[in-house]
Amino acid sequence: MKTSHRTLATAVAVVAMAALTSCGSTSEPAADDTITLSFMTGSDQSTVDTSKALANAFMKANPTITIEMEHQPGGSEGDNIVKTRLSTGEMTDVFWYNSGSLLQALNPAQTLVDLTGDPVLANVQQDYLPVVTQGGKVYGVPATTLTGGGILYNRKVYDELGLEVPKTWDEFMANNEKIKAAGITPVISTFKDSWTSQLFVLADFYNVQAAVPTFAQDYTAGKVKYATTPAALGGFQHLADVHAKGYLSKGFGSATLDQGLKMLVEGKGAHYAMLSGLLPPLLATYPQTATDVGFFGVPGTDPAKHGATVWEPPAIYVAKTTEHLDAAKKFLAFVASPAGTEAVSAAVRPSGPYRVKGSKLPEDAIQVAKDLQAYIDDSATSPALEFLSPVKGPSLEQITVAVGSGLTPPAEGAAQYDKDVEKQAKQLGLAGW
């Protein structure tokens, strides 16, 4: 799922060509003509399956419009392709990309079609609009479900050991001790894929915001730091805690994401700090993923304030260079409709709730989606920091690997990250740095 890889991306501003200021033709085809819309999307399996489902259902309902898809790689390579093609005027008619703070790197006012007030947005939940808004203008619609960032856990292990979902970090560590005593690995770590080491820090943001409601704003302005904010330091401390207690899986330094997920599903490990959106592709090989894997937010210190960090859905946007604006808008309206989400659910069992009015989780939704829906219903979620601030240092994954491996103390790791962040904030030209 692209969301996970996008945690690695650095927001670098793109200067768009003046030629991109045209919105393109809005003419419709003659009755016997077919319009072809080009659609660039991701290459990971979940994104591919979701995009195909949307395109096929839309074409069935709109036989005069054909959608041709192409795929870009994940991570920073994919980011650079999107930015380059927008800046050179060679972007597809519509494309799939991040929501949140990374949107500003696309210089949307110059490169994207403004959808503010357009009927395309009629079914988009209000809570989603801020993450596709720049300069007061709305540019995209939610492409898929939101994703939970927190602890994936094996429910069978919990049932067998009589454990309850923890609401505090102390309760979580107590569960780990019981799991270890039963001869099961308490915490899976996969530092071969170094980006996975970041989740204890990134998914802890709900707790940071609960303790310091203005953290994202102050962080962007250079007024607060990880090393000097106890709540923000907590994520680094979590990494150190599970290592110091010997709770990590054997060979965690060379283990991969795929190995970690397999270990979790098979019950050889009980907990994995990870993103819920990575689970649907496992269902074909491990159908028990749907029922045996649950989700809870990274526990904090106050059980009354237990909640979860969420990664808002990526979006689908329209490039200003499109020559088929009406058809492109029609496609986006379909994506952001109950019919669109039903088409996706039929192809990819949702790993979280949709951000589309009138859409509901199907009865056969996987357990993590149901668990995440409960947090949404309780208004106990916060967007990840990257949706609220453009500041994310490129070296975080290396720092979290070192802290999680016991090589760097958590306070030192947080201080290193503050220096990493400072460099990036200055590159972005942010005030206060």
mmCIF file of all heavy atoms in Angstrom, residues 227-244:
data_model
loop_
_atom_site.group_PDB
_atom_site.id
_atom_site.type_symbol
_atom_site.label_atom_id
_atom_site.label_comp_id
_atom_site.label_asym_id
_atom_site.label_seq_id
_atom_site.Cartn_x
_atom_site.Cartn_y
_atom_site.Cartn_z
ATOM 1 N N ALA A 227 12.952 15.979 21.103
ATOM 2 C CA ALA A 227 13.795 15.661 22.255
ATOM 3 C C ALA A 227 13.388 16.405 23.516
ATOM 4 O O ALA A 227 13.670 15.945 24.628
ATOM 5 C CB ALA A 227 15.258 15.952 21.925
ATOM 6 N N THR A 228 12.715 17.538 23.357
ATOM 7 C CA THR A 228 12.360 18.360 24.524
ATOM 8 C C THR A 228 10.862 18.344 24.810
ATOM 9 O O THR A 228 10.390 19.098 25.651
ATOM 10 C CB THR A 228 12.840 19.803 24.321
ATOM 11 O OG1 THR A 228 12.316 20.324 23.090
ATOM 12 C CG2 THR A 228 14.367 19.864 24.281
ATOM 13 N N THR A 229 10.111 17.497 24.104
ATOM 14 C CA THR A 229 8.677 17.332 24.344
ATOM 15 C C THR A 229 8.445 15.907 24.825
ATOM 16 O O THR A 229 8.536 14.973 24.029
ATOM 17 C CB THR A 229 7.858 17.590 23.066
ATOM 18 O OG1 THR A 229 8.180 18.885 22.537
ATOM 19 C CG2 THR A 229 6.370 17.514 23.362
ATOM 20 N N PRO A 230 8.203 15.705 26.115
ATOM 21 C CA PRO A 230 8.090 14.335 26.649
ATOM 22 C C PRO A 230 7.132 13.437 25.863
ATOM 23 O O PRO A 230 7.443 12.283 25.604
ATOM 24 C CB PRO A 230 7.600 14.580 28.079
ATOM 25 C CG PRO A 230 8.159 15.915 28.439
ATOM 26 C CD PRO A 230 8.092 16.725 27.181
ATOM 27 N N ALA A 231 5.987 13.969 25.465
ATOM 28 C CA ALA A 231 5.028 13.138 24.733
ATOM 29 C C ALA A 231 5.592 12.702 23.384
ATOM 30 O O ALA A 231 5.382 11.563 22.946
ATOM 31 C CB ALA A 231 3.718 13.897 24.538
ATOM 32 N N ALA A 232 6.305 13.590 22.707
ATOM 33 C CA ALA A 232 6.882 13.259 21.402
ATOM 34 C C ALA A 232 8.060 12.307 21.534
ATOM 35 O O ALA A 232 8.295 11.459 20.666
ATOM 36 C CB ALA A 232 7.314 14.541 20.690
ATOM 37 N N LEU A 233 8.787 12.422 22.608
ATOM 38 C CA LEU A 233 9.903 11.508 22.876
ATOM 39 C C LEU A 233 9.411 10.081 23.125
ATOM 40 O O LEU A 233 10.154 9.114 22.958
ATOM 41 C CB LEU A 233 10.697 12.010 24.091
ATOM 42 C CG LEU A 233 11.918 11.221 24.548
ATOM 43 C CD1 LEU A 233 12.943 11.102 23.429
ATOM 44 C CD2 LEU A 233 12.542 11.906 25.773
ATOM 45 N N GLY A 234 8.146 9.956 23.492
ATOM 46 C CA GLY A 234 7.582 8.655 23.857
ATOM 47 C C GLY A 234 7.741 7.587 22.790
ATOM 48 O O GLY A 234 8.003 6.420 23.091
ATOM 49 N N GLY A 235 7.562 7.942 21.516
ATOM 50 C CA GLY A 235 7.687 6.955 20.450
ATOM 51 C C GLY A 235 9.073 6.351 20.390
ATOM 52 O O GLY A 235 9.234 5.140 20.170
ATOM 53 N N PHE A 236 10.098 7.181 20.570
ATOM 54 C CA PHE A 236 11.478 6.682 20.600
ATOM 55 C C PHE A 236 11.696 5.794 21.821
ATOM 56 O O PHE A 236 12.381 4.771 21.744
ATOM 57 C CB PHE A 236 12.467 7.855 20.602
ATOM 58 C CG PHE A 236 12.486 8.634 19.320
ATOM 59 C CD1 PHE A 236 11.670 9.740 19.141
ATOM 60 C CD2 PHE A 236 13.331 8.266 18.283
ATOM 61 C CE1 PHE A 236 11.680 10.464 17.955
ATOM 62 C CE2 PHE A 236 13.355 8.972 17.091
ATOM 63 C CZ PHE A 236 12.523 10.078 16.926
ATOM 64 N N GLN A 237 11.084 6.176 22.939
ATOM 65 C CA GLN A 237 11.195 5.371 24.159
ATOM 66 C C GLN A 237 10.534 4.004 23.969
ATOM 67 O O GLN A 237 11.034 2.992 24.455
ATOM 68 C CB GLN A 237 10.553 6.103 25.336
ATOM 69 C CG GLN A 237 10.773 5.430 26.688
ATOM 70 C CD GLN A 237 12.238 5.374 27.074
ATOM 71 O OE1 GLN A 237 12.932 6.399 27.081
ATOM 72 N NE2 GLN A 237 12.742 4.174 27.362
ATOM 73 N N HIS A 238 9.416 3.969 23.240
ATOM 74 C CA HIS A 238 8.746 2.697 22.979
ATOM 75 C C HIS A 238 9.675 1.728 22.238
ATOM 76 O O HIS A 238 9.733 0.534 22.554
ATOM 77 C CB HIS A 238 7.485 2.924 22.149
ATOM 78 C CG HIS A 238 6.416 3.701 22.849
ATOM 79 N ND1 HIS A 238 6.359 3.823 24.223
ATOM 80 C CD2 HIS A 238 5.341 4.386 22.347
ATOM 81 C CE1 HIS A 238 5.294 4.552 24.544
ATOM 82 N NE2 HIS A 238 4.669 4.904 23.429
ATOM 83 N N LEU A 239 10.372 2.244 21.235
ATOM 84 C CA LEU A 239 11.324 1.418 20.492
ATOM 85 C C LEU A 239 12.376 0.822 21.420
ATOM 86 O O LEU A 239 12.722 -0.361 21.316
ATOM 87 C CB LEU A 239 12.017 2.264 19.416
ATOM 88 C CG LEU A 239 11.285 2.492 18.095
ATOM 89 C CD1 LEU A 239 11.955 3.613 17.315
ATOM 90 C CD2 LEU A 239 11.278 1.213 17.272
ATOM 91 N N ALA A 240 12.875 1.659 22.314
ATOM 92 C CA ALA A 240 13.912 1.203 23.237
ATOM 93 C C ALA A 240 13.358 0.198 24.246
ATOM 94 O O ALA A 240 14.027 -0.786 24.592
ATOM 95 C CB ALA A 240 14.516 2.406 23.969
ATOM 96 N N ASP A 241 12.131 0.427 24.696
ATOM 97 C CA ASP A 241 11.535 -0.435 25.721
ATOM 98 C C ASP A 241 11.404 -1.879 25.246
ATOM 99 O O ASP A 241 11.779 -2.816 25.959
ATOM 100 C CB ASP A 241 10.148 0.087 26.116
ATOM 101 C CG ASP A 241 10.199 1.343 26.971
ATOM 102 O OD1 ASP A 241 11.299 1.691 27.433
ATOM 103 O OD2 ASP A 241 9.139 1.967 27.163
ATOM 104 N N VAL A 242 10.831 -2.073 24.051
ATOM 105 C CA VAL A 242 10.585 -3.446 23.601
ATOM 106 C C VAL A 242 11.883 -4.174 23.286
ATOM 107 O O VAL A 242 11.971 -5.402 23.431
ATOM 108 C CB VAL A 242 9.625 -3.475 22.388
ATOM 109 C CG1 VAL A 242 8.236 -3.017 22.804
ATOM 110 C CG2 VAL A 242 10.144 -2.624 21.233
ATOM 111 N N HIS A 243 12.912 -3.428 22.892
ATOM 112 C CA HIS A 243 14.220 -4.059 22.674
ATOM 113 C C HIS A 243 14.875 -4.425 23.995
ATOM 114 O O HIS A 243 15.385 -5.545 24.170
ATOM 115 C CB HIS A 243 15.146 -3.133 21.882
ATOM 116 C CG HIS A 243 16.515 -3.702 21.672
ATOM 117 N ND1 HIS A 243 17.550 -3.528 22.580
ATOM 118 C CD2 HIS A 243 17.020 -4.492 20.682
ATOM 119 C CE1 HIS A 243 18.627 -4.159 22.152
ATOM 120 N NE2 HIS A 243 18.325 -4.745 21.005
ATOM 121 N N ALA A 244 14.847 -3.496 24.937
ATOM 122 C CA ALA A 244 15.521 -3.723 26.220
ATOM 123 C C ALA A 244 14.941 -4.921 26.971
ATOM 124 O O ALA A 244 15.663 -5.624 27.690
ATOM 125 C CB ALA A 244 15.420 -2.462 27.083
#
